[in-house]
Amino acid sequence: MSNAARSGPTRQRIITAVLQIIGKDGVAAVTNRRIAKEAGVSLGSVTYHFETQHELLRESLLHFVREETRRFTAMADQCQSEGIDIGGAAALAGEVAGGTAFDSEHIAPFELYVEAGRDERLREAAAEAFAAYDRLAAQILTGLGVPDAERLASTTVALVMGLQLRRLATGSTADDLVDSLLLVARGAVDHHEAGL
């Protein structure tokens, strides 16, 4: 077995531990000792796989986004192959949002996005994350027949992220998310049909 094959599970355990720590106690709580303890690996393994804390934070953020993108892309592909209307897509988004537990792993990205505002070295990773969300939103909007899907994608992502942050902070339900997505999608279709 190659070194890369052996190190994959250890590296993944470290990334998972970082996301859990950030979600529980924030970025300031990320220390190599705590990561090693949470991941069940040696302290040397943490520094072997990640030379700097910046690298740890960047890779953790990108890992989360890759997993979310993979999951949502599969759903978008399924919707596209089975056919779905705007109302069905909004209902699906509500199910996903309502089913997303705000556990430590899902809180961590919000912490990392805020940290990117403080640490410009993380901004490239944050930009990559939002670009992935934008591509996915454009794919879903295009599949729904929403005109100007590329142009509306970042607005849709911002709306979803803002409403998810609101849910996180207030404990509210996903109903606002569904209503808002329907408003945006129907507004775009009506705007296009009116020739504006």
Side-chain angles (χ1 to χ4, degrees):
M1 180 183 284
S2 72
N3 282 342
R6 281 193 302 260
S7 69
T10 300
R11 187 175 174 87
Q12 183 55 54
R13 286 182 19 214
I14 292 168
I15 287 172
T16 300
V18 169
L19 290 171
Q20 290 171 347
I21 293 165
I22 292 170
K24 288 179 195 170
D25 298 316
V27 173
V30 176
T31 66
N32 287 355
R33 287 192 192 290
R34 181 150 179 210
I35 294 165
K37 181 180 176 187
E38 295 266 342
V41 301
S42 70
L43 185 57
S45 290
V46 176
T47 56
Y48 172 78
H49 289 284
F50 300 96
E51 290 183 20
T52 65
Q53 188 178 50
H54 163 70
E55 184 184 357
L56 265 167
L57 296 177
R58 180 184 184 285
E59 289 304 312
S60 297
L61 175 59
L62 291 176
H63 167 75
F64 177 83
V65 171
R66 283 183 201 114
E67 289 301 306
E68 288 288 281
T69 301
R70 182 188 54 73
R71 184 168 69 105
F72 291 133
T73 298
M75 290 172 58
D77 290 345
Q78 181 181 357
C79 290
Q80 203 166 13
S81 67
E82 294 175 8
I84 191 168
D85 63 6
I86 290 173
L92 179 61
E95 285 177 40
V96 169
T100 299
F102 281 122
D103 55 17
S104 60
E105 193 170 333
H106 287 87
I107 293 171
F110 288 102
E111 291 273 350
L112 286 166
Y113 294 137
V114 170
E115 187 64 21
R118 294 183 193 105
D119 183 349
E120 66 183 47
R121 296 171 300 167
L122 288 175
R123 289 185 188 152
E124 184 179 330
E128 188 176 331
F130 278 99
Y133 287 135
D134 289 351
R135 283 191 305 275
L136 179 57
Q139 178 186 356
I140 292 169
L141 292 170
T142 298
L144 291 172
V146 173
D148 297 324
E150 294 284 332
R151 189 172 62 84
L152 291 173
S154 64
T155 301
T156 304
V157 169
L159 175 67
V160 170
M161 294 293 283
L163 289 170
Q164 286 291 75
L165 182 58
R166 181 180 181 155
R167 284 186 58 228
L168 171 64
T170 65
S172 64
T173 66
D175 295 341
D176 287 346
L177 176 63
V178 174
D179 292 343
S180 298
L181 289 174
L182 280 170
L183 183 65
V184 169
R186 286 185 177 141
V189 170
D190 292 347
H191 182 76
H192 180 71
E193 290 174 355
L196 299 174

